[in-house]
């Protein structure tokens, strides 16, 4: 553990710290951020809590709130105390800006050092940071954490995949930080270059920023001969470093000394029991630049009940299976692309590269999954290809209880991504 004094403290002490920090942050935003002041005052809420349960009486914050205050309206400190900004990666609409004070950057480095340490990293490691550097939080977030841990940090950023493979080889990289989909592109490129990636010193990957399934993990671990660790975060709350898996690979420990997690029913917005799925909501406890109160992430997860054998006190959230905005409703059944992925990546003969195409026929919406045939699969006859297509279809149907069109496509014909993969292509035009 990087900070055992926090990560393995008693639950009782942790909760006392949370209440104290929550009250400090509530006073601060009430005093300094007009949006929070008017919202608290209008709903007659006193910006103080006696217990953690009282947090449920506070109003929620959503992405549109941050957008409405673009760019600097949510800052809880004078502009001159902000030393860095990042922006969220939203593909549509106004971007949202987040600001960090020097203390925020310092805490973030600690939290990302925790993340690397929980993946087993030490100062002896060589960490290749292939998340994008820039307004996206992945690159610089991982960079500061890796340096804080004392590892040799290679700030290569995303892209230029052949050079990445060269660096993996020449620099003796032991830990790779990038999106899970990009790790597959690296493996594929290494193979094309005639490099046996499994024989390199690479031993672990710290992967996140997009949903990925358990079967995808298995495939990545096999192809790269590494341990793949899931890491989670979002710019509005911090960036990476909000939660990460330990070597148990069973749920992501939420850094609860810095973030209060709630899981709520996305319809009623009432808290759900531990173990039940719902929307993840975070309140920051230490952020100075932009604290957020009950921020609705739109990510779906649940708290995994019980303690983790690793000894960390922080509760675990399950891997994020998807976002409420990415959920497909296919003839009344709710499906996340990652569930389709879980099925596809369990079938021999297809590659872990796929896209879900939304279309329209007349007044009907259509859904078709395009998935690549594995490069070493050969079909002598069309009939075999059709047979395979039928098999994929029926596996999806039996696992998810929806029937979706399936089209097998040529190896390497689906667009590869150097950052977050685009899994859903909406061709409905007016949608
Ligand atoms: O993606 C921060 C990050 C960078 C996390 C590097 C991990 C590694 P945003 O660009 O603001 O921030 O996107 C945040 O990405 O709300 C989730 O929907 C999704 N996401 C992030 N990590 C995971 C994960 C960064 N491990 C949004 N599993 C979040 C599933 C994830 N989804």
């Amino acid at each position: 553990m990087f900070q055992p004094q926090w990560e393995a403290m008693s639950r009782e002490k942790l909760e006392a710290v949370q209440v104290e920090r929550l009250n400090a942050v509530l006073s601060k935003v009430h005093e300094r951020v007009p949006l929070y002041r008017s919202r608290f005052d209008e709903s007659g809420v006193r910006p103080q809590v006696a217990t953690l349960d009282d947090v449920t009486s506070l109003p929620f914050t959503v992405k549109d709130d941050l957008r409405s205050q673009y760019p600097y309206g949510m800052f809880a400190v004078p502009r001159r105390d902000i030393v860095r900004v990042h922006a969220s990666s939203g593909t549509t609409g106004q971007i949202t800006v987040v600001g960090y004070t020097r203390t925020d950057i310092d805490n973030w480095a600690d939290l990302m050092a925790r993340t690397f340490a929980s993946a087993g990293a030490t100062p002896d490691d060589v960490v290749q940071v292939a998340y994008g550097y820039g307004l996206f939080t992945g690159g610089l977030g991982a960079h500061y954490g890796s340096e804080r841990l004392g590892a040799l940090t290679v700030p290569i950023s995303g892209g230029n995949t052949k050079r990445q493979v060269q660096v993996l080889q020449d620099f003796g990289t032991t830990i790779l930080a990038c999106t899970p989909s990009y790790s597959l592109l690296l493996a594929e490129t290494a193979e094309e270059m005639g490099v046996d990636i499994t024989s390199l010193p690479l031993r672990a990957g710290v992967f996140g920023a997009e949903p990925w399934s358990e079967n995808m993990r298995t495939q990545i671990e096999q192809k790269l001969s590494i341990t793949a660790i899931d890491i989670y975060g979002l710019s509005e709350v911090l960036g990476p470093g909000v939660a990460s898996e330990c070597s148990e690979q069973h749920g992501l420990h939420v850094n609860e000394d810095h973030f209060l997690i709630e899981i709520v029913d996305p319809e009623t917005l009432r808290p759900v029991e531990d173990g039940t799925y719902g929307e993840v909501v975070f309140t920051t406890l230490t952020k100075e630049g932009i604290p957020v109160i009950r921020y609705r992430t739109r990510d779906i997860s649940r708290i995994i009940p019980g303690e983790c054998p690793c000894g960390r006190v922080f509760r675990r959230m399950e891997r994020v299976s998807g976002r409420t905005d990415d959920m497909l409703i296919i003839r009344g059944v709710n499906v996340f692309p990652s569930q389709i992925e879980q099925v596809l990546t369990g079938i021999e003969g297809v590659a872990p590269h796929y896209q879900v195409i939304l279309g329209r026929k007349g007044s009907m919406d259509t859904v078709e999954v395009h998935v690549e045939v594995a490069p070493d699969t050969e079909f002598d006859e069309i009939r075999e290809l059709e047979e395979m297509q039928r098999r994929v279809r029926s596996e999806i149907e039996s696992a998810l209880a929806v029937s979706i069109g399936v089209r097998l496509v040529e190896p390497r014909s689906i667009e590869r991504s150097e950052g977050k993969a685009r899994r859903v292509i909406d061709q409905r035009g007016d949608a």
Side-chain angles (χ1 to χ4, degrees):
M1 282 179 218
F2 182 69
Q3 294 178 310
Q5 70 277 28
W6 293 104
E7 296 172 76
M9 73 200 294
S10 76
R11 193 79 218 165
E12 203 184 357
K13 191 155 163 234
L14 173 65
E15 284 171 10
V17 168
Q18 287 181 316
V19 171
E20 191 189 314
R21 290 183 167 176
L22 179 58
N23 279 325
V25 91
L26 289 173
S27 307
K28 208 187 292 174
V29 297
H30 184 256
E31 186 190 323
R32 301 187 188 166
V33 185
L35 181 128
Y36 286 118
R37 185 176 334 119
S38 57
R39 196 157 289 172
F40 288 178
D41 291 352
E42 274 159 25
S43 53
V45 176
R46 221 172 62 88
Q48 286 297 291
V49 298
T51 69
L52 288 175
D53 290 340
D54 296 344
V55 76
T56 56
S57 63
L58 301 168
F60 288 99
T61 311
V62 294
K63 193 168 183 101
D64 275 344
D65 293 327
L66 270 61
R67 285 202 178 118
S68 75
Q69 302 300 308
Y70 176 84
Y72 297 154
M74 294 298 278
F75 287 178
V77 296
R79 221 285 295 130
R80 69 185 311 274
D81 293 338
I82 299 287
V83 299
R84 168 107 61 89
V85 290
H86 282 284
S88 80
S89 56
T91 44
T92 52
Q94 176 109 61
I95 57 170
T96 52
V97 174
V98 284
Y100 303 75
T101 65
R102 200 168 290 286
T103 307
D104 291 334
I105 297 285
D106 200 44
N107 284 333
W108 192 11
D110 279 340
L111 293 179
M112 279 307 289
R114 282 184 191 175
T115 294
F116 281 109
S118 74
T122 73
D124 293 325
D125 278 296
V126 178
V127 177
Q128 184 160 333
V129 182
Y131 285 114
Y133 282 59
L135 286 177
F136 175 54
T137 51
L140 283 162
H143 181 101
Y144 275 59
S146 166
E147 279 194 358
R148 174 63 52 90
L149 183 70
L152 194 165
T153 307
V154 185
I156 190 164
S157 190
N160 207 339
T161 310
K162 283 193 176 142
R163 193 178 58 181
Q164 299 266 0
V165 174
Q166 193 70 49
V167 166
L168 270 181
Q169 268 186 302
D170 297 350
F171 292 20
T173 302
T174 52
I175 295 189
L176 174 65
C178 63
T179 57
S181 54
Y182 191 53
S183 76
L184 283 178
L185 178 57
L186 270 168
E188 208 169 49
T189 308
E191 199 179 329
E192 283 166 9
M193 292 165 68
V195 174
D196 177 11
I197 202 166
T198 61
S199 69
L200 302 181
L202 191 66
R203 65 183 177 83
V206 180
F207 301 139
E210 64 184 10
W212 51 313
S213 60
E214 195 55 41
N215 278 341
M216 180 69 96
R217 188 212 305 264
T218 310
Q219 293 234 4
I220 292 173
E221 291 192 326
Q222 283 168 359
K223 279 187 205 294
L224 286 90
S225 181
I226 58 172
T227 303
I229 296 289
D230 191 9
I231 73 168
Y232 167 85
L234 61 162
S235 359
E236 292 83 356
V237 172
L238 177 76
V242 174
S244 58
E245 280 184 338
C246 60
S247 52
E248 298 291 324
Q249 295 179 296
H250 182 52
L252 296 89
H253 291 278
V254 178
N255 284 309
E256 290 185 280
D257 50 343
H258 293 266
F259 311 102
L260 198 65
I261 181 171
E262 298 172 73
I263 308 283
V264 303
D265 180 317
E267 303 283 323
T268 64
L269 299 183
R270 298 296 307 159
V272 300
E273 299 272 309
D274 278 6
T276 306
Y277 288 94
E279 179 175 346
V280 183
V281 171
F282 285 110
T283 299
T284 60
L285 298 174
T286 54
K287 277 271 286 297
E288 294 181 341
I290 299 196
V292 288
I293 308 299
R294 303 196 83 201
Y295 183 73
R296 290 184 57 187
T297 61
R298 304 191 184 174
D299 290 328
I300 300 295
S301 180
R302 66 184 186 115
I303 297 288
I304 298 179
E307 287 167 17
C308 181
C310 79
R312 284 179 180 78
V313 65
F314 302 146
R315 286 179 302 163
R316 291 162 296 164
M317 57 187 265
E318 192 170 279
R319 68 165 61 250
V320 168
S321 42
R323 301 171 55 77
T324 47
D325 11 10
D326 288 344
M327 192 174 73
L328 308 167
I329 303 177
I330 305 171
R331 282 174 281 284
V333 183
N334 299 349
V335 180
F336 287 112
S338 66
Q339 292 175 290
I340 298 174
E341 173 185 298
Q342 171 75 1
V343 178
L344 296 176
T345 41
I347 303 174
E348 217 172 307
V350 299
H353 302 288
Y354 69 97
Q355 266 175 344
V356 182
I357 315 289
L358 306 182
R360 182 165 290 157
K361 233 187 214 152
S363 61
M364 283 282 287
D365 283 349
T366 58
V367 183
E368 190 173 63
V369 178
H370 291 189
V371 57
E372 284 182 16
V373 180
D376 43 10
T377 314
E378 277 176 27
F379 294 105
D380 295 333
E381 293 177 47
I382 288 282
R383 193 176 48 81
E384 285 177 14
L385 190 82
E386 284 171 354
E387 178 52 35
M388 181 79 184
Q389 237 159 230
R390 253 196 305 278
R391 230 189 87 211
V392 175
R393 234 187 123 120
S394 92
E395 297 249 355
I396 293 177
E397 187 158 354
S398 68
L400 305 175
V402 290
S403 98
I404 304 183
V406 171
R407 189 192 301 173
L408 291 179
V409 298
E410 297 270 316
R412 296 229 50 157
S413 61
I414 287 177
E415 179 196 3
R416 303 291 188 262
S417 156
E418 293 170 352
K420 295 175 190 256
R422 246 179 102 205
R423 299 300 191 195
V424 179
I425 309 288
D426 197 338
Q427 297 179 337
R428 288 172 299 180
D430 57 345

